[in-house]
């Protein structure tokens, strides 16, 4: 009786808390483990391999793997409607274009200077 | 159930009105498109790093023989970022930045757990995970403050700059590590990311306050936690790219 009286003065309405789903929470931790392991692999490459095009490509590839897990699982994009997924992903081709254009430009500047 | 609807035409476009084609609220969509525009900004900064680095000579020798030579080559990052707080003189390449990466990934995980608890209307759990997220953000910013301070003050030896004097640390005009744009880009890129983390912490604090005062319980949903969560994960995502392109390559 006493608790009910106390709740009667609460401004908040009665909230029904849904119990946690173990499988969903495990999935979050699994994503975290993947991200940590990929980062450790990157470290292993950083110290066991000489710098070069191959190592850079490995780093870029592993970064994209991490980005995929963050965007799809943490930001939940994988579970959105297809139209939404594409309207976020397609504009990023401009980034790829800018990357190629400016890296070529950078090499051009290098050749002019040295 | 058993009722049959004849009034609805069989092929109605989902864009015809009356439905929500993207099945997401206005606020969440706007957050997504803001993040897309922010991704362009960060890409521009990181690609500029690539452009400027490519326009300077690269260091050709082995990492073991590497010395700072601002007028000769672009530094290799593992030789610049190799210090740890309280362990003066110890060479631990990229360890500190690895710890920072781990802190940010962890705070991203606690944020997802807060969002998940919000879906279940579990206020105590949202409070708990939001609290850890804020703590993680503050820890990351503290690490960055130390890293900046170390970068600015430099090593004991310093290095020779163009005018023939020994220079220690870095400012926007010159630095002991490499060509002037190296420090400029370090300050701009990590600084811009740090600003995002700082504003994320402020946003998280506001949302935390609203959670504690029961605003979202009265509203009936915790979508604000989800929106601020999107922003927080984006900050983590950007760090993943900064980590690769600034510290690893």
């Amino acid at each position: 009786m006493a608790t009910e009286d106390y709740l009667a003065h609460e401004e908040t309405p009665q909230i029904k808390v849904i119990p946690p789903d173990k499988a969903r929470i495990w999935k979050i931790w699994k994503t975290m483990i993947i991200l940590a392991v990929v980062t450790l692999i990157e470290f292993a490459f950083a110290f066991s391999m000489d710098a070069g095009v191959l190592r850079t490509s490995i780093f870029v590839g592993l970064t994209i793997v991490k980005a995929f897990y963050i965007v799809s699982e943490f930001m939940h994009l994988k579970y959105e409607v297809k139209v939404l997924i594409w309207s976020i992903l397609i504009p990023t081709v401009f980034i790829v274009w800018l990357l190629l254009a400016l890296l070529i430009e950078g090499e051009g500047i290098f050749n002019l200077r040295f | 159930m058993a009722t049959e609807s004849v009034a609805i035409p069989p092929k109605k476009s989902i864009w015809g009105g009356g439905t929500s084609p993207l099945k997401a609220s206005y606020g969440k969509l706007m957050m997504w498109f803001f993040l897309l525009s922010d991704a362009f900004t960060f890409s521009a900064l990181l690609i500029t790093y690539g452009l400027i680095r490519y326009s300077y000579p690269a260091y050709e020798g082995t990492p073991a023989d590497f010395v700072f030579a601002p007028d000769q080559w672009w530094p290799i990052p593992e030789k610049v970022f190799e210090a740890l707080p309280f362990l003066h003189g110890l060479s631990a390449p990229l360890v500190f930045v690895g710890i920072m990466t781990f802190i940010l990934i962890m705070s991203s995980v606690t944020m997802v757990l807060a969002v998940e608890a919000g879906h279940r209307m579990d206020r105590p759990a949202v409070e708990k995970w939001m609290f850890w997220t804020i703590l993680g953000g503050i820890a990351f910013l503290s690490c960055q403050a130390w890293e900046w301070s170390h970068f600015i003050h430099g090593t004991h030896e310093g290095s020779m700059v163009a005018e023939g004097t020994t220079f220690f640390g870095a400012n926007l005009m010159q630095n002991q590590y490499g060509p002037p744009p190296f420090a400029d880009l370090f300050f701009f890129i990590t600084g811009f990311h740090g600003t995002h983390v700082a504003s994320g912490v402020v946003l998280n604090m506001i949302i935390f306050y609203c959670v504690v005062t029961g605003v979202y319980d009265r509203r009936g949903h915790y979508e604000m936690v989800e929106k601020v969560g999107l922003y927080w994960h984006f900050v983590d995502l950007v760090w993943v790219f900064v980590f690769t392109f600034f510290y690893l390559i």
Side-chain angles (χ1 to χ4, degrees), chain B residues 32 46 74 145 170 203:
Chain B
W32 267 112
L46 281 172
W74 196 264
L203 288 174

Side-chain angles (χ1 to χ4, degrees), chain B residues 164-182:
Chain B
T165 50
T166 307
F167 189 76
F168 302 94
N171 58 33
L172 286 172
M173 306 300 286
Q174 56 184 359
N175 67 84
Q176 68 165 81
Y177 311 103
F182 174 73

Side-chain angles (χ1 to χ4, degrees), chain B residues 225-246:
Chain B
V225 179
E226 221 172 301
K227 282 179 231 170
V228 85
L230 280 179
Y231 179 77
W232 192 253
H233 297 314
F234 176 76
V235 168
D236 182 30
L237 178 71
V238 169
W239 180 255
V240 162
F241 281 90
V242 172
F243 176 66
T244 303
F245 293 112
F246 209 98

Side-chain angles (χ1 to χ4, degrees), chain A residues 56-95:
Chain A
T56 306
S57 326
I58 291 170
F59 284 151
V60 172
L62 290 175
T63 305
I64 290 169
V65 170
K66 285 206 276 186
F68 169 79
Y69 277 104
I70 292 172
V71 174
S72 68
E73 291 294 338
F74 285 179
M75 295 170 95
H76 226 255
L77 190 62
K78 203 164 123 191
Y79 308 99
E80 303 287 354
V81 186
K82 268 211 179 93
V83 190
L84 179 53
I85 298 177
W86 288 119
S87 36
I88 300 298
L89 290 186
I90 291 173
T92 56
V93 296
F94 289 115
I95 296 173

Side-chain angles (χ1 to χ4, degrees), chain A residues 75 80 84, chain B residues 20 22-32 111 114-122 126 130 203-204 207 210-211 215-233:
Chain A
M75 295 170 95
E80 303 287 354
L84 179 53
Chain B
S20 172
L22 296 180
K23 292 201 177 62
S25 70
Y26 174 81
K28 240 171 103 174
L29 281 182
M30 290 306 113
M31 181 52 91
W32 267 112
M111 189 79 229
V115 173
E116 192 272 338
H119 283 306
R120 298 187 286 103
M121 302 298 289
D122 190 346
V126 179
M130 283 295 289
L203 288 174
N204 281 346
I207 301 297
C210 292
V211 172
V215 172
Y216 306 126
D217 271 348
R218 284 193 291 279
R219 196 176 287 177
H221 59 78
Y222 278 75
E223 209 192 66
M224 282 308 284
V225 179
E226 221 172 301
K227 282 179 231 170
V228 85
L230 280 179
Y231 179 77
W232 192 253
H233 297 314

Side-chain angles (χ1 to χ4, degrees), chain A residues 28-44 62 65-66 69-70 74, chain B residues 98 101-103 105-106 109 236 240 243:
Chain A
I28 294 168
W29 286 105
K30 211 171 77 184
T31 312
M32 185 256 150
I33 292 166
I34 292 169
L35 291 175
V37 167
V38 173
T39 308
L40 289 176
I41 294 172
E42 282 182 327
F43 266 105
L62 290 175
V65 170
K66 285 206 276 186
Y69 277 104
I70 292 172
F74 285 179
Chain B
T101 307
F102 188 70
I103 291 172
I105 289 176
M106 273 317 288
V109 173
D236 182 30
V240 162
F243 176 66

